[in-house]
Amino acid sequence: MILYVARRVLGLAGTLVGVTFVIYAMVFALPGDPVAALGGDRPLSPSVVAQLRQQYNLDEPLVVQYLLYLGGVLTGDLGSDFNGRSVAGQMAGRWPTTIALALTAWGLQIVVGVVLGVVAGLRRGSLLDRGVLLLTILISSVPVFVLGVTAQLVVGVRWQLLPIAGSSAGWPTAYLLPAAVIAVFGLAPIARLVRGSVSDTLGADFVRAHRAKGLSPRRVVGLHVMRSSAIPVLTYLAVDLGLLLGGTVVVEGIFNLPGVGQLLFSAVREQEGAIVVGVSTALVVIFLLASLVVDLVASALDPRIRRA
């Protein structure tokens, strides 16, 4: 088990370096000078430009810039923007909003998606199974901004059930509507993955053996089938949580939620490369840690994974 954990940690460390380098290169190797753009219509003096470039290591080769940035990341420093404000400090005040939104959407996806998938898997080929498949396809085809605006107009304005913008109402009132909009797009893959996993597991030899022993259907499904079916679902849910944390930009904009996604959107618009790289790095780290935790849980559920 220790060797398995060590291999996974080394693999994730290599992934972190590779992904963050690609992000850093894509941001800072683009045409244009972000320092020169700070002056707007009144260009900065050459001495000020040179000082700022030296301060932010922009006068160094790209590889050297990245290594200096990576050294800061290892000490918990995500850098600072061109106004001298810490990137980590700006993110700190926005994380609670993004985390609350992502976890609420994640919880809705797990509850509704797993229930739909289990019901469809246990009744494979039935009218209910076909209805779940059709519903997931229809939901996946609607753009997120269309669904968000429609939810605001119907649920918030016409029915007046939930607030349509801001986080002043607190959790869960202010987060249920945007979380539901995000969760809708994860229901389809989760439900279909659970349905396929449950359906395949029901035909396995060990399930037939448990039934032959006289175990009740509830025990066979609730314990043995669900345990074996949980491994691919857990793997996807870890990936899905990382996507939720990094994919709330549009929804936070629609519902005016002051989260990390809104900070990332503003940084792209204002050409604040340090913020873009810092936020992206934090999201990558969270995604990799979630993947590591799920790998460990999956290996505990199925020892064959460790041997492989």
Side-chain angles (χ1 to χ4, degrees):
M1 185 66 177
I2 296 177
L3 291 177
Y4 175 77
V5 174
R7 289 197 302 268
R8 294 298 301 142
V9 170
L10 290 176
L12 293 180
T15 303
L16 175 64
V17 173
V19 172
T20 53
F21 177 74
V22 171
I23 294 173
Y24 193 95
M26 292 176 63
V27 172
F28 287 101
L30 292 175
D33 190 347
V35 174
L38 292 176
D41 296 334
R42 301 178 61 183
L44 301 176
S45 64
S47 60
V48 173
V49 172
Q51 181 180 356
L52 289 174
R53 291 182 61 83
Q54 182 179 9
Q55 178 181 349
Y56 292 97
N57 301 316
L58 296 178
D59 56 343
E60 301 286 351
L62 180 63
V63 176
V64 176
Q65 293 181 39
Y66 172 73
L67 292 176
L68 293 173
Y69 171 75
L70 185 61
V73 171
L74 295 177
T75 61
D77 181 15
L78 295 176
S80 57
D81 62 14
F82 292 120
N83 293 316
R85 298 173 298 181
S86 169
V87 175
Q90 295 182 63
M91 293 171 59
R94 294 174 177 264
W95 272 123
T97 299
T98 296
I99 291 175
L101 177 61
L103 290 180
T104 304
W106 199 50
L108 292 174
Q109 287 181 349
I110 292 175
V111 173
V112 180
V114 170
V115 169
L116 290 177
V118 170
V119 171
L122 294 176
R123 293 170 173 79
R124 185 174 182 178
S126 65
L127 182 61
L128 179 60
D129 180 23
R130 296 189 180 93
V132 171
L133 177 61
L134 178 61
L135 177 64
T136 55
I137 293 175
L138 291 176
I139 288 176
S140 302
S141 63
V142 181
V144 61
F145 59 88
V146 174
L147 186 61
V149 174
T150 303
Q152 283 181 319
L153 293 176
V154 176
V155 179
V157 177
R158 181 173 299 177
W159 294 346
Q160 297 183 354
L161 296 177
L162 295 169
I164 62 174
S167 58
S168 59
W171 188 89
T173 304
Y175 293 88
L176 280 177
L177 190 57
V181 172
I182 298 175
V184 161
F185 295 92
L187 291 180
I190 291 175
R192 297 173 71 173
L193 180 61
V194 173
R195 181 255 187 198
S197 184
V198 169
S199 179
D200 293 341
T201 306
L202 284 173
D205 293 335
F206 74 92
V207 174
R208 289 195 291 266
H210 286 309
R211 286 175 171 171
K213 292 178 181 179
L215 294 180
S216 64
R218 179 179 298 180
R219 182 174 177 83
V220 171
V221 174
L223 179 61
H224 301 288
V225 173
M226 291 305 298
R227 179 177 178 178
S228 298
S229 303
I231 295 175
V233 178
L234 287 175
T235 303
Y236 177 81
L237 287 175
V239 176
D240 187 49
L241 179 59
L243 294 175
L244 287 175
L245 288 171
T248 60
V249 179
V250 176
V251 174
E252 287 182 3
I254 294 174
F255 290 89
N256 194 28
L257 294 173
V260 174
Q262 191 181 70
L263 175 65
L264 180 60
F265 177 79
S266 300
V268 172
R269 183 180 56 192
E270 298 169 4
Q271 296 184 342
E272 285 284 0
I275 297 179
V276 175
V277 174
V279 173
S280 301
T281 299
L283 296 176
V284 169
V285 170
I286 293 174
F287 178 82
L288 294 178
L289 289 177
S291 299
L292 176 61
V293 171
V294 169
D295 285 344
L296 297 180
V297 173
S299 65
L301 293 175
D302 190 349
R304 294 175 297 178
I305 296 177
R306 295 198 301 270
R307 300 190 188 101

